[in-house]
Amino acid sequence: MANEEKPKQKMGFTIIKNDPTDGHKGFGVGSLSLENVSPVIIDIEEGRASVEIGAMHARSDVERGIKFTTDRADSEGGKPYWLVWVTIDHKADGPYYAGVTACEMVVNREKRRGYKILADHVNKMDKSMKRHIIVEHMDAPSKKILASFLEELNPELWTRSEEQLRQDLFV
C-alpha cells in the first residue's frame, strides 16, 4: 500500500495488520482487521475508478479540504462520486472479490462543501466486510466503470468472484 503513514486515530475501533490474536493476548484482541478492504473511488464524470487508501479515514484526495454535510443543497452543483468498498477473501481456488458495496458522495470544490451520509459509508464498509454485494443503486455507466476496473485490476479475482457480482454490474 502506497500510503503507509499512520493516521490520527479518530475511529471507534483499532485498525491493525494481520491477525489481532497472533501470539499474544493483550492489546488489539477482538479488534477488527481491515486489511482486506480497499476503498475505490469512481469519478462518474471522468469515467475513472481508482483505489484511494486515504478514503479509509475520509482523507482521499477527493475528500480533502471538504466539509461534508447530510444536506444535498450544501453541495449543489458539485461533482458526483461513488465510494466503493471492495473486500477480498480467499476460497479453495484462490482470492476473489467477496464484498462490493457502493456509497454516494458529492463534492463541490468551489464551495468546499460535500454531501455524504457517514453512517451509510460505515454501514456499507461493514456490509462489504461481511461479503455482501450492494451495487444495485448505482447508475449504469458507473457499474460499467467499476466492472471494467475490477476485471482489469485482477482478472483472476474477477473470474473467481460470485456470479452475483457480474450480474449486478450487468457484465
Side-chain angles (χ1 to χ4, degrees), residues 1-150:
M1 289 185 208
N3 188 358
E4 282 295 334
E5 63 188 71
K6 294 278 188 271
K8 293 182 190 79
Q9 291 257 278
K10 288 188 178 170
M11 304 190 84
F13 52 82
T14 307
I15 296 173
I16 45 183
K17 289 282 192 197
N18 301 321
D19 182 8
T21 58
D22 189 23
H24 68 83
K25 302 285 181 246
F27 175 77
V29 173
S31 298
L32 289 174
S33 172
L34 303 184
E35 192 159 276
N36 298 328
V37 181
S38 298
V40 173
I41 292 190
I42 297 174
D43 182 327
I44 299 169
E45 291 175 3
E46 300 289 323
R48 283 186 295 116
S50 60
V51 176
E52 291 272 354
I53 295 301
M56 291 291 284
H57 305 281
R59 287 197 178 87
S60 65
D61 290 343
V62 171
E63 297 163 293
R64 200 168 281 140
I66 302 296
K67 178 176 173 28
F68 284 94
T69 68
T70 56
D71 183 358
R72 286 182 186 277
D74 291 346
S75 59
E76 199 166 339
K79 198 170 175 180
Y81 294 91
W82 289 104
L83 170 55
V84 183
W85 298 107
V86 179
T87 300
I88 295 172
D89 199 1
H90 297 267
K91 49 184 172 183
D93 56 344
Y96 69 108
Y97 298 121
V100 179
T101 59
C103 318
E104 189 182 4
M105 191 163 61
V106 178
V107 173
N108 187 321
R109 281 261 157 240
E110 281 179 20
K111 294 181 182 175
R112 296 181 59 175
R113 290 287 179 268
Y115 166 81
K116 73 176 173 183
I117 298 172
L118 186 59
D120 181 54
H121 285 228
V122 171
N123 289 337
K124 292 267 174 59
M125 181 173 71
D126 182 59
K127 295 274 192 217
S128 178
M129 291 167 64
K130 290 177 178 166
R131 316 304 183 246
H132 293 270
I133 295 168
I134 305 172
V135 294
E136 61 277 357
H137 57 295
M138 293 176 75
D139 56 288
S142 294
K143 286 181 181 182
K144 193 171 193 150
I145 293 163
L146 180 60
S148 298
F149 177 77
L150 292 174

Side-chain angles (χ1 to χ4, degrees), residues 143-159:
K143 286 181 181 182
K144 193 171 193 150
I145 293 163
L146 180 60
S148 298
F149 177 77
L150 292 174
E151 187 173 17
E152 288 168 25
L153 191 64
N154 192 315
E156 291 81 28
L157 266 69
W158 178 253
T159 304

